[in-house]
Amino acid sequence: MYQLSSAVLRAITKVAKVNLLEHSEGPSQSIIEAVSGLSEMFTRNGQVGSRVYFEDPQLRAGYLVYYLPVNLAKVQVLLDELQPVLPVAPDQDFRVLDLGGGPGTGALGVLDWCLSKSARPPSTLRMIAVDRSPKVLRVSTEIWQAYSEQQRDQSIPSLNTVECNLERSLPSAIRDGGGVNGYQLIIVQNLLSELFVGSMDPVGQRTVLVGELLNYLAPEGSLMLIEPATRVASRQLHQVRDNLLVEQRCSVYAPCLHDGPCPALLKPDDWCHEERKWETPAWIAQVDREVGLIKDALKFSYVIFRKDGKTLVPRNPDYHRVVSELRVMKGEKRVWFCDQAGRSEVGRQDKEGSASNAAFDDWHRGAIVRVSDIVRKERKGRPAMVGRILASGQVQIIRPA
């Protein structure tokens, strides 16, 4: 189960000017009220691109201790997926561009992840955090410094910040920041759904922006797009994904098992999102109880693009990705798959449970699995809507989420 580092939590609470790590009484009423207000604001207006809530000390503290840990955790969960393809040469600069992640969320997540994994010397990191709000960027610098002060035996470079409106052209600081070869990692978190909202073609303009970012991605780099796990934001992300794949300038590293059109877009009520387990900080769990929110799991939609064709798991027509919970029904269990053939529903009746298919009971959203045989009996000349796993079926979990 994923857990945030104590260094991250200490840096966040220090800048937020709250004592939650040693405070047995939990978050104050002002923090609870701030998170409640922010939740209503985000539900009504999205993440609010101007970050006006950072001008209010109470709202800023609420965002830092509640939303920042959640968003940083999402980045680090995906960094674990990317670990096999991230640059490892200790003498090579690791250039990272963090777009729209609030107060340097993505950049801090990468720094902390590298230190926790001993993936590379921190002195090789070259970080740029981008936002349209100067206040947000000042806070990102404060958090970066608060974190760096804890790493006395490490040489931590400074965080570079760039103020810009991404609905306009990218400034030279972003274009040049990737150096000659480009960025090894670009993180775009909770941003796309905020941009070009009043446009006649918001998805098209977002596609153009992401396409421009690909120009500054290193040949071996990764472009990580993260959006909220809502139907609207997720489906628009799926559309951007499809548009970019049609241009054949990149391929999907994760989560998809193919580069074809997204099957979730075939029906207007479908969408694809993640739900990853994590150890919820005690104060976030208490805020949830007080406000009525739920952060007991990390929920988000994402796609990671690469130019070199590398993928999280090998392309294999026998691999399937679980895109739903394991649903327990009367006499059977079912899940929804997504694979090269599209989306389909698969179940195993309780009476068909066996040692060879026992792994089916551990399937979960996001897992990549393999099944030796799925039976779809015909009814009235048509295949059954639900495929069946029989007692003789061989079931494997290729990669858990």
Side-chain angles (χ1 to χ4, degrees), residues 161-219:
T161 61
V162 176
E163 178 187 348
C164 78
N165 183 348
L166 291 169
E167 292 184 347
R168 302 170 185 168
S169 60
L170 296 179
S172 58
I174 294 178
R175 296 196 303 269
D176 299 340
V180 176
N181 295 321
Y183 296 97
Q184 281 77 32
L185 178 62
I186 299 177
I187 302 170
V188 185
Q189 185 174 27
N190 297 337
L191 175 67
L192 290 183
S193 54
E194 293 183 13
L195 298 177
F196 310 109
V197 174
S199 167
M200 294 291 292
D201 182 18
V203 170
Q205 290 186 272
R206 293 165 191 165
T207 303
V208 171
L209 172 62
V210 177
E212 187 173 0
L213 292 175
L214 285 172
N215 293 333
Y216 306 110
L217 186 69

Side-chain angles (χ1 to χ4, degrees), residues 262-284:
C262 177
L265 293 175
L266 294 177
K267 295 181 179 179
D269 292 332
D270 283 346
W271 78 96
C272 185
H273 71 278
E274 303 299 304
E275 186 168 328
R276 306 291 180 87
K277 294 180 180 179
W278 77 318
E279 186 172 316
T280 312
W283 69 79
I284 291 182

Side-chain angles (χ1 to χ4, degrees), residues 37-156:
L38 287 167
S39 175
E40 182 179 352
M41 185 186 303
F42 295 158
T43 301
R44 184 174 63 249
N45 299 324
Q47 287 282 321
V48 190
S50 62
R51 316 288 189 194
V52 293
Y53 47 88
F54 268 78
E55 302 297 331
D56 182 295
Q58 181 178 341
L59 293 178
R60 180 170 66 248
Y63 183 92
L64 292 180
V65 302
Y66 187 82
Y67 288 99
L68 193 156
V70 174
N71 291 331
L72 187 145
K74 295 173 185 177
V75 171
Q76 292 194 330
V77 163
L78 297 183
L79 288 173
D80 283 344
E81 290 191 355
L82 275 172
Q83 186 169 8
V85 295
L86 288 177
V88 295
D91 59 343
Q92 176 186 0
D93 283 349
F94 184 18
R95 297 183 179 274
V96 180
L97 177 63
D98 175 17
L99 293 170
T105 307
L108 180 62
V110 173
L111 172 62
D112 179 69
W113 184 86
C114 285
L115 287 172
S116 67
K117 302 289 184 180
S118 298
R120 60 169 43 251
S123 59
T124 65
L125 298 175
R126 301 291 177 263
M127 302 283 198
I128 298 179
V130 179
D131 201 277
R132 66 188 301 173
S133 165
K135 181 62 176 179
V136 171
L137 294 175
R138 285 196 294 272
V139 173
S140 69
T141 300
E142 291 177 26
I143 296 175
W144 186 272
Q145 291 174 343
Y147 181 92
S148 299
E149 288 169 1
Q150 301 177 59
Q151 313 297 329
R152 295 187 178 90
D153 59 338
Q154 300 285 351
S155 176
I156 308 290

